[in-house]
Amino acid sequence: MSGRIAGKIALVTGAGSGLGEATAQRFAEEGAHVVITDINAEQAESVCQDISAAGGSAEYHYQDVTDERAWDTLVGMIIKDHGRLDIVVNNAGIVIRGSVEDTTLEDWRKTQAVNLDAVFLGTRAAVKAMKGNGGSIINISSIEGMVGEPTAAAYNASKGGVRIFTKSAALHCAAEGYGIRVNSVHPGFIATPMVENAIAAAPPVEGAALLERVNSEIPLGSMGEAVDIANGCLFLASDESKYMTGSELVIDGGFTCH
Ligand code: NAP
């Protein structure tokens, strides 16, 4: 098996769609065996089949990333079946729009549970599994973990939490000499079902205006593609980034330069 991460065992959460799907595909193209997890079984199984049809190696398991016990079960199974875990991408996420005034406590907690608590659970489980061999943990934050958005109060808070939590975990792993690197990725606006659904959910005039505003504010002129983020994850997963830990990889068409 050849490729930039040949022979590595990689876990990608939320890999049934969007950025997780593209990342799982790139990892498989570069020689990794990819464990795909998601709550959307139909979509994730289809991603798995596509990878196999293209000559890659993948398996799917149902996983709700907010379930603490399921993390132990899943990682235990990966170690039992493959003997190791080299790469974990904590990618699954949700967006519930709302300002500080109109976000309910329920929506706030749901957002933190999927976007932040689960990244903690996934990172903790990965560190435990990787301790002996080293590895790379990639936490998907957002540019919205760096800059504010008036209608994304809960999302902003969750992604900002992922950004700084990643640095804490990176420092701990470095201090312990585990050989585990922990980095965050900060996508800008990328055309995936998450963004397309948010635009579709807005009233028609507002949705079109939102799309126009977003595109006009991106220095490179338009939204990115899922593969742009997948390529960043591939770099962080591979030994090409061996001197990077606690870093923030921003992939946003220049959006945060303003
Ligand atoms: P997406 O297309 O909606 O894909 C997310 C996947 O995660 C879906 O398959 C979703 O399943 C799954 N999921 C949701 N809750 C889950 C849970 N509790 N456990 C396991 N899986 C769960 O979104 P995306 O755009 O690819 O986003 C992926 C990540 O990138 C997220 O963390 C997001 O915040 C981040 N991000 C995206 C953008 C962007 O522009 N697209 C920008 C910055 C950051 P269902 O479809 O059934 O809900």
Side-chain angles (χ1 to χ4, degrees):
M1 176 69 73
S2 63
R4 289 162 66 189
I5 48 175
K8 305 263 189 202
I9 307 299
L11 163 63
V12 183
T13 70
S17 170
L19 307 187
E21 173 181 357
T23 300
Q25 277 167 344
R26 280 301 285 125
F27 281 10
E29 283 164 10
E30 293 295 336
H33 173 78
V34 192
V35 180
I36 288 169
T37 75
D38 204 297
I39 49 171
N40 191 326
E42 201 178 321
Q43 278 187 204
E45 271 167 4
S46 144
V47 172
C48 209
Q49 280 161 13
D50 289 349
I51 288 175
S52 301
S57 177
E59 65 188 77
Y60 164 71
H61 298 281
Y62 175 89
Q63 182 197 19
D64 178 344
V65 289
T66 64
D67 183 338
E68 182 177 12
R69 248 195 277 163
W71 271 106
D72 291 338
T73 310
L74 176 76
V75 173
M77 190 168 56
I78 294 170
I79 299 296
K80 184 171 151 285
D81 292 350
H82 302 286
R84 56 192 289 143
L85 177 59
D86 303 298
I87 300 159
V88 170
V89 184
N90 287 304
N91 165 77
I94 58 169
V95 61
I96 303 175
R97 300 212 77 79
S99 71
V100 60
E101 288 198 87
D102 52 34
T103 296
T104 64
L105 183 57
E106 193 188 352
D107 285 349
W108 174 274
R109 286 185 172 150
K110 193 172 171 196
T111 305
Q112 308 316 319
V114 180
N115 292 4
L116 180 56
D117 297 358
V119 172
F120 155 64
L121 294 174
T123 303
R124 190 179 65 176
V127 169
K128 193 173 160 197
M130 291 174 177
K131 262 184 196 177
N133 299 313
S136 174
I137 300 169
I138 300 161
N139 293 333
I140 306 299
S141 176
S142 169
I143 54 168
E144 301 216 358
M146 308 170 111
V147 297
E149 159 80 47
T151 59
Y155 189 77
N156 275 153
S158 69
K159 295 297 184 180
V162 169
R163 173 180 169 271
I164 198 70
F165 162 72
T166 297
K167 294 182 196 304
S168 171
L171 286 173
H172 171 74
C173 290
E176 295 295 327
Y178 289 156
I180 301 171
R181 300 182 294 106
V182 196
N183 292 289
S184 56
V185 173
H186 300 260
F189 293 94
I190 313 295
T192 68
M194 177 183 277
V195 169
E196 284 153 6
N197 292 342
I199 289 170
V205 179
E206 252 181 66
L210 181 65
L211 186 59
E212 201 180 306
R213 179 173 69 81
V214 166
N215 283 331
S216 73
E217 286 177 0
I218 299 171
L220 287 184
S222 62
M223 281 198 248
E225 297 170 0
V227 72
D228 297 325
I229 307 307
N231 282 329
C233 292
L234 174 62
F235 169 64
L236 289 175
S238 78
D239 293 341
E240 294 157 24
S241 59
K242 67 183 169 53
Y243 196 53
M244 287 175 73
T245 197
S247 293
E248 303 164 19
L249 184 57
V250 178
I251 307 173
D252 69 348
F255 188 88
T256 48
C257 293
H258 290 297

